[in-house]
Amino acid sequence: MLEMHLRVFAVAIAATLLLVPAYAQQSHWSSADDKTAKYIIEMERKWAEGVCVDNGVVAGLLADDFQGTSTKGARFKKADELKDEKGPRTARECGLDEAKVRFFGDSLAVVYGSEHAVGKDKSQPNIKVCQIWTDTWLKRGGTWQIIASHDNRVKCE
């Protein structure tokens, strides 16, 4: 009987210890005055505008182990984005439409956003292209960077 009580007690302690980290990682939407969220949104804006101009944002924005998924389903790395950033520009009127930041603890954030550009699709240089995306940010060594992104092309409204 004592052995059974000890097992129940051990299971209860283990469950409690597992719940403490889960509680600590509860998510929340950023507040309007959150400095970290403002920084993240500003960097997202620069990345969206970087389709039109070489603003040099990619090198510091993306983590070295970054992995993205394009609107066509292709995987791309930081090196691919750096190459694109230095390439010729055909797009214009680039901009961030929306970005909402959701924090998970002190070092992880997911940003849900949308952007647009005219001429991004080289086969249709006068067509406005819109996309929605999800970017995952991680704070490592005191620096926030994007570790993953997923882009989806959508109909412009």
Side-chain angles (χ1 to χ4, degrees):
M1 187 70 138
L2 179 61
E3 187 177 318
M4 189 166 118
H5 285 303
L6 288 175
R7 281 188 195 163
V8 170
F9 181 71
V11 169
I13 293 295
T16 301
L17 291 175
L18 289 172
L19 290 176
V20 170
Y23 177 77
Q25 294 299 315
Q26 292 295 312
S27 66
H28 68 278
W29 290 106
S30 66
S31 62
D33 62 342
D34 186 291
K35 290 180 184 179
T36 301
K38 286 181 179 182
Y39 166 78
I40 287 173
I41 291 169
E42 176 62 14
M43 295 305 289
E44 293 282 9
R45 182 188 62 75
K46 287 183 179 180
W47 196 14
E49 291 173 354
V51 174
C52 287
V53 296
D54 178 4
N55 57 14
V57 73
V58 171
L61 176 69
L62 303 182
D64 290 339
D65 55 351
F66 167 84
Q67 180 77 58
T69 304
S70 75
T71 58
K72 295 181 180 177
R75 303 274 187 222
F76 61 98
K77 298 178 182 180
K78 180 177 181 174
D80 300 318
E81 278 295 290
L82 287 168
K83 183 179 163 188
D84 285 349
E85 185 178 56
K86 298 301 176 198
R89 300 284 190 277
T90 59
R92 61 191 186 283
E93 300 176 36
C94 298
L96 180 68
D97 296 320
E98 177 182 39
K100 293 181 180 179
V101 181
R102 187 162 187 92
F103 288 103
F104 296 82
D106 296 330
S107 59
L108 184 69
V110 177
V111 184
Y112 306 92
S114 60
E115 64 187 67
H116 65 274
V118 175
K120 186 174 181 178
D121 184 342
K122 293 175 183 143
S123 68
Q124 298 176 310
N126 294 316
I127 300 296
K128 183 177 181 181
V129 173
C130 297
Q131 64 185 51
I132 60 170
W133 43 261
T134 304
D135 290 344
T136 304
W137 287 72
L138 181 65
K139 183 179 181 182
R140 284 191 265 195
T143 302
W144 283 95
Q145 291 184 305
I146 299 174
I147 58 169
S149 71
H150 190 102
D151 301 329
N152 291 298
R153 191 166 174 177
V154 295
K155 183 178 178 179
C156 296
E157 295 182 17

